Amino acid sequence: MSTIAEWLEENVTTDKRALDWYREPECEPRIVRAYRQLLSGYEIDTSTILKTTVEVQGEHAGVVRVHDINYYSICAHHFLPFYGKVAISYVPGSRILGLGKFPRLVQAFSRRFQIQEHLVKDIAEEIMSSGGARAARVVSTGRHMCMCSRGPSDQTCVTDTSYVTGDKELFTRFGLDT
C-alpha cells in the first residue's frame, strides 16, 4: 500500500510544493481521522434510529414535517463534498416518531458516499420501513463542490431533489402537494 503522498504523485501531481504537505508525519493520520468521521454513517444501523414518541389512537389525520436539517456528504462520483438542507414530511402509521431522531437519520445516511438523489430515497425508505409511516416525502437542496470548483465552475448552482413513497394521495388529502 502506498502513502497518500505517493498516490498523489502517481495520480494527481508531481509538483513538489503540493506533495510536501502530504509528507509531514501527522498528515496521513489527520486525513484518515477526517474521512473516518465524514464517512461514519456506515457504522450506524439506520433501522435502530427512529423511536416511538406516542402510539396513534385511530388514524393520524395529518402530516408531520421537520425541515432545515443540515447535512454534509461526500459525492460518490467525484469524492468531493456536497452539503445542504433536508426537509422530511411523513404521515404516521400506528405511531408518531421522535422528532429529534430525524436529524440523526439524515446524518447517518449523509455521512456515507452518496449522490443527492439516493440520499432522499434512503431517508424516505427508512421512514417507511422502520418508522412504519403510511407515506413519506423527503426534499433536499444541495451545493456540490464538483459543480462549484470544477466542471461548470458555478458557485451559484443549487440542486433540489425529492423522493415520495407510500400512499402519496395522503399528502394531497392533508393539504401538502407532492
Side-chain angles (χ1 to χ4, degrees), residues 4 23 36 38 48-49 58 77 85 88 91 99 110 149 155 161-162 167 175:
I4 291 173
R23 290 193 174 103
R36 282 193 178 140
L38 290 169
T48 66
I49 293 174
H77 287 161
K85 292 189 181 288
I88 298 170
V91 178
L99 299 177
S110 67
S149 61
Q155 297 80 26
T161 60
S162 65
D167 187 349

Side-chain angles (χ1 to χ4, degrees), residues 141-158:
T141 60
R143 290 190 182 269
H144 296 249
M145 292 301 103
C146 54
M147 289 178 63
C148 293
S149 61
R150 55 163 301 283
S153 293
D154 186 343
Q155 297 80 26
T156 63
C157 285
V158 175

Side-chain angles (χ1 to χ4, degrees), residues 6-172:
E6 290 167 342
W7 183 88
L8 287 169
E9 188 170 18
E10 183 178 322
N11 295 289
V12 180
T13 185
T14 57
D15 191 301
K16 182 181 178 336
R17 295 169 298 181
L19 296 172
D20 281 348
W21 282 100
Y22 300 98
R23 290 193 174 103
E24 294 293 323
E26 183 55 30
C27 179
E28 202 153 324
R30 183 178 59 248
I31 291 171
V32 168
R33 285 191 308 271
Y35 275 92
R36 282 193 178 140
Q37 181 180 0
L38 290 169
L39 299 170
S40 61
Y42 289 110
E43 305 300 318
I44 299 169
D45 178 358
T46 55
S47 70
T48 66
I49 293 174
L50 298 175
K51 304 289 185 206
T52 301
T53 293
V54 67
E55 299 292 329
V56 173
Q57 303 302 317
E59 179 182 301
H60 183 84
V63 176
V64 176
R65 184 167 182 254
V66 180
H67 58 93
D68 291 332
I69 303 169
N70 291 310
Y71 74 88
Y72 301 88
S73 195
I74 301 291
C75 173
H77 287 161
H78 299 106
F79 207 71
L80 291 170
F82 68 98
Y83 64 95
K85 292 189 181 288
V86 168
I88 298 170
S89 303
Y90 82 101
V91 178
S94 62
R95 59 198 177 111
I96 294 174
L97 303 171
L99 299 177
K101 302 302 181 179
F102 289 107
R104 289 185 179 113
L105 185 64
V106 170
Q107 290 303 311
F109 281 116
S110 67
R111 290 193 177 266
R112 300 175 181 192
F113 289 114
Q114 276 289 8
I115 64 170
Q116 193 173 338
E117 296 85 347
H118 289 172
L119 177 64
V120 292
K121 180 179 188 267
D122 291 345
I123 295 165
E125 294 290 342
E126 193 65 57
I127 292 167
M128 293 297 293
S129 63
S130 69
R134 294 187 291 155
R137 180 180 116 176
V138 179
V139 178
S140 76
T141 60
R143 290 190 182 269
H144 296 249
M145 292 301 103
C146 54
M147 289 178 63
C148 293
S149 61
R150 55 163 301 283
S153 293
D154 186 343
Q155 297 80 26
T156 63
C157 285
V158 175
T159 303
D160 295 322
T161 60
S162 65
Y163 188 82
V164 181
T165 186
D167 187 349
K168 298 169 185 83
E169 294 300 316
L170 288 172
F171 287 122
T172 302

